[in-house]
Structure formats: C-alpha cells, structure tokens
C-alpha cells in the first residue's frame, strides 16, 4: 500500500517518465564557477528551472541546478543517491522521501499552488447553466464540487445537460481528466479534495471512511481510461485542444501561460469550491541542496520569478494575478480541504485505480 511496485517504476523510467531538464550550464557567460546541484522535480516546475532568469539568479549565488522530472509519488521508488534535493509537488510525498533518506527537521515549502479545473468555454457555460458551476468573469468561475460528485455518482452524460446539444464536442460521460494518482501529485490531490467532499467535509482517516469513499473515487478515475503521468503533459494537451474539455491542473500552469503573453479565448479557469493547495516541498539531501532550498524560500529575485511562473510564494502577500480575468488574486471563498495521511492517500489511489 505504501510503496509503488519497483517493476512498474522501472518500466515508467525506461519509457521516459523521467526527462532531463538542464537548468543552467556549468559555466555562465561571466565565467563564474558554480556548484552543480542535482535535483528531481515535479514536471510542472520544469519551465521555472529552465528559465534563463532563474538560471542567472541561481548562478549569482554560486549554483547550477540540473533537474530531472518525475511524478511526485513516483519519486519514492527512485534511487536518489547522488542527488542533492528532491522537490515533489506536495508535503505528503516529501515526508515519505524524508523518512526514506533520514532527513530531519522542518522541510522547506517555498511556494504553493491550488488545484483548479481548466475548461473550454462551451463546457464551462453548460456547467453553469446546469448548476454545476458559476461564472464571475468571462474566463473565471467556481466549480461546485458536491454537485459535480453527485453528477458523477449518477453517471450523467453531457447529452443530459441543458444546452449541451448544440456543441458537438460535448458528448459522453461528464468527468474531469486528472493524472494517475499513484504516481502523480495532482491526481492524488484531486482524490484528496473529492474524498473530503464525499466524506461530508471531513478528511478521510479511517478504514470505514476509505471503504465509504473509494467506490466514488474509482468511478472518477476509471471513466478516464489511460491517464497522464504528469500534469505538464495533461495541460499541454488541453491547450492544444486535445482530449477532455475539463482537466485538473495547477493554477501555476495557467499563470505561467498567461505570463508568456498567451490569453486563450476558449479557456475558463474554474476554482473548485473545495480544493487542495499543492505545497511544493523541498527534501534537502546534501548541504548544497539545503542551500538551494533556502534560496528558493528567501531570495527576493527567485521569489519574484516564482510568482512570475505562477507559484504563490509562502510568507508574504504578492500581487498575484493582478489585472487578469482568468485567475483569482485572493483565494477567499475557496475552501482548502485537508490532505489525508500518505498511507491513506496511497490506499485511496490504489482503490481508485483498481
């Protein structure tokens, strides 16, 4: 229950789940010598570490970060000997890694991002017309999680929803696409939020509560068929127009897209009224890893770059999402669901996939 089968991880790795993302070079233009820091990260942070401005800011402090991407939960099955730090996308897998590698002390959480649902405009308008969502801006709204879960229990289809018939792409079962919860953090956190709502607004903690919520979670996952191993690929597919019209992603991925100057007219961001924050948590494995973790938390330039890439830095109010009609600047009115223990979340993911 607590461990991902080694043979599955081996197949995933051979298939390319872990892709190298080299953030920086061993020698910057200034010729400044830097210490190379090897790290494994969730895929949604790949663009951040590859950003030339991030590379420059780290090099100015004497570090070159060479990063590889992996599903956050899959990191537990990797051999991280020789690495300096791991940076999964939430606290639960980080705690598991810290236990495995005997890392003590408080694990730094430099930034966070809530889960959101990206929707094509037609889909969002149909959800709103049927009481499953509300829209407060042309590109922003709220997903009513309890109503959505009721629809999932009843196996509702798009064809059963008022106003969907005029959109040929809205057919089949209504569902949210998510990543594989056994290896990907966003998929696991989606189950955490859904199980919290399904459990009457209480975090799932007992065997009885697992038994009660698992059938619905299995329905949420099994309807999707094959799932992506990381949120980055799932988000890119959505932006390209492929796949399901409703996809669970991180707010930071949308913010990063907007920061690049893209403003898709067909994109609507729905904040679930009960969601989960993804607390990106560092597991320092060496002194160099600890130093980079501290920089990510405290260096003003890096914190500004984190915000530019859509992450919400911990510990201070930032001008996040100012001037956009896609994202909320404040998260007031969005309930933060507690995340079950790693053991319970593993079991929910196993039962959901089973």
């Amino acid at each position: 229950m607590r461990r991902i089968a080694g043979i599955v991880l081996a197949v995933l790795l051979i298939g390319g789940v872990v892709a190298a993302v080299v953030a920086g070079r061993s020698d910057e233009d200034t010729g400044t010598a830097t210490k190379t820091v090897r790290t494994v990260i969730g895929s949604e942070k790949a663009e951040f570490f590859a950003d030339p401005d991030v590379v420059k800011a780290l090099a100015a402090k004497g570090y070159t970060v060479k990063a590889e991407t992996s599903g956050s939960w899959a990191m537990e099955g990797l051999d991280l000997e020789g690495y300096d730090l791991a940076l999964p996308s939430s606290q639960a897998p980080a705690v598991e890694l810290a236990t495995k590698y005997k890392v003590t002390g408080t694990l730094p959480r430099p930034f966070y991002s809530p889960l959101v649902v990206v929707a094509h405009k037609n889909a969002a308008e149909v959800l709103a017309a049927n009481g499953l969502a509300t829209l407060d801006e042309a590109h922003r709204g709220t997903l009513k999680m309890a109503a959505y879960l009721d629809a999932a229990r009843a196996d509702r289809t798009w064809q059963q929803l008022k106003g969907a018939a005029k959109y040929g792409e809205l057919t089949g079962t209504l569902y949210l696409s998510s990543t594989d919860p056994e290896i990907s953090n966003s998929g696991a956190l989606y189950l955490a939020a859904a199980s919290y709502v399904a459990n009457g607004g209480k975090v799932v903690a007992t065997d009885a509560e697992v038994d009660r919520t698992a059938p619905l979670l299995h329905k949420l996952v099994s309807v999707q068929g094959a799932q992506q191993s990381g949120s980055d690929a799932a988000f890119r597919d959505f932006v390209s127009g492929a796949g399901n019209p409703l996809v669970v992603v991180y707010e930071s991925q949308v913010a990063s897209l907007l920061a690049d100057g893209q403003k898709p007219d067909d994109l609507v961001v729905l904040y679930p009224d009960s969601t989960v924050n993804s607390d990106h948590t560092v597991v320092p494995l060496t002194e160099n890893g600890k130093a980079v973790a501290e920089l990510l938390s405290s260096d003003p330039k890096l914190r500004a770059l984190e915000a530019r890439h859509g992450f919400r830095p911990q510990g201070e109010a930032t001008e996040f999402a100012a001037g956009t009609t896609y994202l909320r600047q404040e998260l007031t009115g969005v309930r933060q669901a507690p995340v079950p223990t790693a053991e319970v979340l593993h079991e929910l993911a196993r039962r959901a996939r089973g």
Side-chain angles (χ1 to χ4, degrees), residues 235-248:
F235 183 61
R236 289 179 184 277
D237 283 350
F238 174 85
V239 172
S240 71
N244 196 47
L246 302 170
V247 183
V248 178

Side-chain angles (χ1 to χ4, degrees), residues 30 44 70 72 84 93 109 114 126 130 140 148 169 195 212 223 270 293-295 342:
T30 59
E44 70 290 331
S70 168
S72 293
D84 296 285
R109 291 182 288 167
V126 170
N130 287 270
R140 186 180 69 217
Y148 165 68
E169 70 275 17
S195 66
R212 184 162 59 248
V223 71
L270 299 175
E294 173 59 29
L295 289 173

